[in-house]
């Protein structure tokens, strides 16, 4: 404990999933945290649970004035911002490109890309004046591979987040401010179920039912958890990572590493058998 002692963090999308877990761990590690989300009841309950080192502000990350006010609140209340975790996101429209509604695509881009842009836009001047700070942007394995999201628009938005983060890192690095992404793999949260049509609260409540299926998605034989992402966020927010910037840190249990070993070996065995070759010892 204490890896974030004395630091001030802002976390968007903090009323469930990765954001909620990260807020809990940041406070446990000594940070003062301003949490944001659209759901008032959940946000206020979390702030009350986490105590005097946490305050909540209802925020829609697609509205620039609300994002400006969120950053200003952190500075007014705590005097500085050491970490911004742009975690808020949401599903995108599903289906092939020929059927994507433009307005739905624009809404998804506004949340998943625009919210990140606005967070960085308004936090950057504070951190530049301080000559310190860490910006963490939540991306996805879908940013670098097709077929890892229910929505190609979501995938495109996350790819844009990764590239914008690199570009901003090159600018802000000159002011001793770091910018990195975290790209989660198969993490047990409600976002997939929301994308498939479940109401948000219901999706969050039943997300645990994804655990068994997600455990088979990658070489590491378990589902990813929100803690896996939160602990990487702690590292990036802490002084342990002061020489790390412009990186996309993939947390996926090996999902993007390549073909799984055992199925690959089985395919080779079947190929040898088909051509009458002896089995390997």
């Amino acid at each position: 404990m204490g890896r974030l002692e004395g630091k001030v963090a802002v976390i968007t999308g903090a009323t469930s999933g990765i954001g909620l877990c990260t807020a809990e761990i940041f406070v446990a590690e000594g940070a003062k945290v301003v949490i944001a989300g659209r759901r008032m009841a959940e946000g206020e309950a979390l702030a009350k649970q986490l105590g005097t080192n946490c305050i909540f502000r209802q925020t829609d990350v697609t509205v620039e004035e609300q994002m400006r006010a969120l950053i200003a609140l952190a500075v007014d209340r705590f005097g500085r911002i050491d970490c911004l975790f742009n975690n808020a996101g949401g599903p995108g429209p599903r289906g092939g490109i020929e059927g994507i509604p433009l307005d739905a695509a624009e809404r998804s881009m506004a949340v998943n890309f625009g919210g990140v842009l606005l967070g960085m836009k308004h936090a950057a001047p504070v951190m530049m004046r301080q000559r310190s700070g860490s910006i963490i942007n939540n991306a996805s394995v879908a940013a670098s591979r097709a077929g890892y999201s229910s929505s190609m628009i979501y995938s495109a938005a996350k790819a844009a987040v990764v590239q914008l983060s690199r570009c901003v890192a090159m600018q802000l690095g000159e002011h001793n401010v770091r910018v990195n992404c975290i790209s989660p793999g198969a993490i047990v949260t409600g976002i997939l179920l929301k994308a498939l049509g479940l109401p948000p609260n219901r999706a969050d409540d039943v997300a645990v039912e994804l655990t068994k299926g997600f455990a088979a998605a990658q070489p590491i034989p378990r589902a990813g958890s929100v803690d896996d992402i939160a602990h990487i966020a702690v590292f990036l927010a802490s002084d342990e990572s002061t020489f790390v910037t412009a990186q996309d840190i993939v947390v996926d249990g090996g999902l993007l590493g390549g073909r799984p070993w055992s199925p690959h070996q089985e395919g080779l065995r079947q190929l040898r058998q088909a051509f009458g070759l002896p089995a390997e010892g």
Side-chain angles (χ1 to χ4, degrees), residues 18-19 21-22 25-26 85 87 136 138 182-185 187 189 224-236 249-252:
I18 291 169
C21 179
T22 303
I25 293 178
F26 272 34
F85 185 18
N87 169 70
I136 308 166
N138 206 359
I182 303 174
S183 280
I187 307 298
T189 71
S225 72
V226 291
D227 299 72
D228 293 318
I229 309 305
H231 287 301
I232 297 296
V234 169
F235 168 70
L236 291 174
I249 299 178
V250 177
V251 186
D252 70 346

Side-chain angles (χ1 to χ4, degrees), residues 27-232:
V27 169
E29 291 286 356
K32 296 178 173 63
V33 179
V34 179
I35 57 172
R38 288 182 297 182
R39 293 183 286 180
M40 176 74 81
E42 290 83 349
E44 290 182 338
L46 179 59
K48 182 178 180 180
Q49 171 194 326
L50 296 182
T52 57
N53 283 340
C54 181
I55 56 175
F56 170 73
R57 185 179 182 91
Q58 188 176 33
T59 304
D60 182 338
V61 298
T62 69
V63 179
E64 182 162 11
E65 177 54 30
Q66 293 187 27
M67 287 297 285
R68 185 205 63 77
L70 174 66
I71 298 301
L73 172 64
V75 175
D76 291 346
R77 183 67 63 93
F78 298 119
R80 58 185 295 111
I81 299 176
D82 298 293
C83 175
L84 167 65
F85 185 18
N86 283 312
N87 169 70
R94 303 187 305 278
I97 192 63
E98 73 282 2
I100 298 293
L102 180 60
D103 58 345
E106 289 175 337
R107 286 195 299 272
S108 178
M109 291 296 291
V111 174
N112 293 302
F113 174 73
V116 172
L117 186 155
L118 290 175
M120 292 197 288
K121 174 181 177 178
H122 292 286
V126 177
M127 293 180 173
M128 291 164 73
R129 287 194 299 270
Q130 295 170 174
R131 292 199 58 80
S132 68
S134 174
I135 296 173
I136 308 166
N137 297 324
N138 206 359
S140 171
V141 292
S144 58
R145 298 289 192 280
Y148 283 89
S149 171
S150 63
S151 167
M152 60 177 66
I153 303 304
Y154 178 89
S155 183
K158 292 300 186 177
V161 166
V162 172
Q163 183 62 11
L164 180 63
S165 299
R166 290 193 189 105
C167 294
V168 176
M170 294 300 98
Q171 176 199 356
L172 299 188
E174 297 177 1
H175 302 271
N176 200 40
V177 175
R178 296 171 289 117
V179 184
N180 293 286
C181 290
I182 303 174
S183 280
I187 307 298
V188 177
T189 71
I191 190 168
L192 174 59
L193 299 175
K194 294 171 190 175
L196 296 178
L198 277 184
N201 287 341
R202 172 69 174 155
D204 292 335
D205 289 343
V206 301
V208 68
E209 296 177 21
L210 296 170
T211 302
K212 183 177 179 180
F214 280 11
Q218 62 283 307
I220 299 295
R222 68 168 176 86
S225 72
V226 291
D227 299 72
D228 293 318
I229 309 305
H231 287 301
I232 297 296

